[in-house]
Amino acid sequence: MAIKPASGPTPLAASISASPSASTHTLSFPAQTFAKLAPLPFLHAHLTSSTGARRPSGRTTSESRPPKIHTGSLTYTSGSAVVRTGDTAVVCGIRGEILLTKDVADWRHPETSPHTPDGENNTARRKRRKTEADEIAGLNLLVPNVELSTGCSPAHLPGSPPSDLAQTLSHRVLTLLHTSQLLEAGQLRIWHHPASSSNSLLQPQPSNTPNNPASTIPGGDEGEGVKDTDGALGAKPQIKAYWTLHITLLFLSLDGNPFDAAWGALLAALLDVRLPRAWWDADLENVLCSPLVSESTRLSLNGLPVPLTVGVLSRDDEQGVGGEKEKKREKWCLVDMDGFEEGCVRETVCLVVKGEGEGAEIVRIEKGGGGLIGRGEMRELVGAAGRRWREWKELLDGIRGDGNGDTEMG
């Protein structure tokens, strides 16, 4: 008995032929059955079709699924977003909680001021961002958690403990948040100017930014203490608390490439975050927040790191040349794989870039499963990652400007 694709322009069916005696009977079955019986030959048949390399979904090897984004879906969060790429859908909710410095064991006040120094060169900026990234990581100010909901895919059954995939995704998201230095600690600090604390019990201090107040009392120089109304020299500005961002990523549907979808939802939710104006009240010895939305602020991202996950599929074909046989290895790089394709590939590569073209910055490379990708293929993947970065950038740029929170491509 032999299984082979049926004749036709595309391998959308298969045939079973048998010869019990002199007669031959041919039975055909649908493509879905062929894919379940022999998934790898089924995918190879599409990629080696005479009409061109096309995946079972109809996409080319370098074609991604167009993403769709909706922000502000969750009411009781500081920011939220829903992202859908193909049949993979994930919702991200971010909630800001206040961490008091007095509750942190062995906390030491960093040598910094409420404002970024003027005229900062690139070297000083990189050093400052590295220091602030270490501060965020040391205090665990970013807490991501990935959950695969029951029914998001056949592999996730009710009552099961957190899967390895969910824990791996949580770790990868946290690692990329730190290595990309996406947020600066200055946006999460809540400052206190002791000299202005006696102005009012419930009124916030005069400030240039909601969380980083700068005293407006005459004679007060930043970083050198300020004088109170009696002329006494006050203490320097102090960090009394931090904003901690609790990030929850919940998959509603999972059909391949979960990391790219989760990270896209995280970026969209961060751009949707509004943190209320917060200040330290010396009389209450606690942080107070303003209820006015007009006084809240949005987060600023340090660049826009965008991942591109690629699966590498290979097949060894033996061809006779000059009476001898040599192996010819065919390989295909599948961008933005769906669930079926992920079960067939032998190797995966994840590139995270900022920018495109000559100015593209490679933030991170994750690779596993083999050694099929060489330098030439890697250069092509960097170019593909830059094009994917452009797609996401155009999509995310519309979040703050369109007013309704709906953006999509395709």
Side-chain angles (χ1 to χ4, degrees):
M1 179 177 293
I3 301 178
K4 59 181 180 179
S7 60
T10 56
L12 300 180
S15 300
I16 299 180
S17 61
S19 301
S21 58
S23 61
T24 302
H25 302 281
T26 301
L27 300 175
S28 61
F29 50 84
Q32 292 182 350
T33 305
F34 183 19
K36 291 181 179 179
L37 292 176
L40 194 56
F42 178 76
L43 185 54
H44 282 154
H46 280 80
L47 296 176
T48 57
S49 173
S50 58
T51 59
R54 290 273 178 177
R55 299 191 245 182
S57 60
R59 293 183 291 148
T60 62
T61 56
S62 60
E63 185 178 354
S64 301
R65 295 171 291 183
K68 301 178 182 179
I69 296 180
H70 179 80
T71 57
S73 302
L74 304 179
T75 304
Y76 301 105
T77 60
S78 303
S80 62
V82 179
V83 167
R84 186 181 186 94
T85 56
D87 288 333
T88 296
V90 57
V91 57
C92 178
I94 301 178
R95 185 175 179 87
E97 300 288 346
I98 293 176
L99 171 67
L100 300 179
T101 56
K102 64 181 181 180
D103 296 333
V104 179
D106 299 328
W107 181 78
R108 295 183 179 181
H109 199 289
E111 296 181 0
T112 183
S113 64
H115 301 288
T116 303
D118 296 331
E120 187 179 38
N121 56 36
N122 292 334
T123 302
R125 184 182 299 109
R126 284 194 296 267
K127 183 178 179 180
R128 176 179 58 81
R129 287 177 175 174
K130 177 64 170 62
T131 302
E132 294 192 4
D134 294 339
E135 183 180 356
I136 290 176
L139 295 173
N140 292 323
L141 300 182
L142 302 177
V143 187
N145 180 49
V146 177
E147 298 181 11
L148 302 175
S149 63
T150 299
C152 68
S153 74
H156 299 87
L157 302 177
S160 301
S163 63
D164 294 340
L165 177 59
Q167 298 180 54
T168 300
L169 289 174
S170 298
H171 177 72
R172 292 179 64 188
V173 168
L174 178 61
T175 301
L176 186 54
L177 280 171
H178 291 161
T179 56
S180 65
Q181 301 175 8
L182 188 61
L183 294 174
E184 296 184 1
Q187 302 181 85
L188 305 178
R189 298 176 184 137
I190 300 176
W191 289 84
H192 169 56
H193 284 260
S196 60
S197 61
S198 61
N199 293 340
S200 175
L201 179 66
L202 297 178
Q203 292 297 324
Q205 306 168 35
S207 61
N208 295 337
T209 59
N211 299 325
N212 299 341
S215 176
T216 58
I217 299 177
D221 296 330
E222 181 184 322
E224 298 180 357
V226 292
K227 293 182 179 180
D228 57 20
T229 55
D230 297 331
L233 184 64
K236 293 182 180 180
Q238 301 174 359
I239 300 174
K240 287 294 186 177
Y242 290 89
W243 284 106
T244 301
L245 301 183
H246 294 268
I247 306 167
T248 300
L249 293 153
L250 176 65
F251 279 86
L252 306 177
S253 176
L254 179 57
D255 185 31
N257 201 9
F259 181 72
D260 291 14
W263 185 258
L266 172 61
L267 291 178
L270 285 173
L271 293 174
D272 186 60
V273 165
R274 282 186 175 272
L275 294 179
R277 180 178 184 141
W279 67 96
W280 175 263
D281 189 279
D283 296 327
L284 298 178
E285 295 187 352
N286 208 342
V287 174
L288 301 181
C289 296
S290 171
L292 301 178
V293 178
S294 59
E295 293 185 349
S296 63
T297 55
R298 293 185 182 272
L299 295 175
S300 299
L301 304 185
N302 179 22
L304 193 67
V306 173
L308 176 71
T309 301
V310 179
V312 184
L313 183 71
S314 68
R315 183 181 70 173
D316 295 335
D317 290 332
E318 290 188 353
Q319 297 181 349
V321 178
E324 297 181 358
K325 290 184 178 180
E326 66 175 9
K327 283 189 175 182
K328 179 182 178 181
R329 170 165 288 181
E330 292 182 283
K331 54 187 174 184
W332 301 268
C333 295
L334 307 180
V335 173
D336 187 19
M337 298 174 291
D338 57 30
F340 172 76
E341 294 164 348
E342 283 186 339
C344 298
V345 298
R346 299 175 53 183
E347 181 179 351
T348 57
V349 179
C350 181
L351 285 169
V352 183
V353 299
K354 292 181 181 179
E356 61 179 340
E358 296 294 334
E361 174 189 352
I362 300 177
V363 178
R364 186 175 178 84
I365 298 179
E366 297 179 2
K367 184 176 180 294
L372 298 176
I373 291 294
R375 293 183 178 179
E377 290 86 358
M378 190 62 72
R379 278 192 288 266
E380 294 179 2
L381 293 182
V382 172
R387 293 188 293 271
R388 187 61 168 172
W389 176 88
R390 170 60 57 182
E391 292 177 0
W392 277 101
K393 184 179 185 302
E394 294 175 354
L395 197 61
L396 295 172
D397 282 346
I399 290 180
R400 295 181 178 177
D402 61 4
N404 59 14
D406 287 309
T407 32
E408 73 177 81
M409 295 188 66

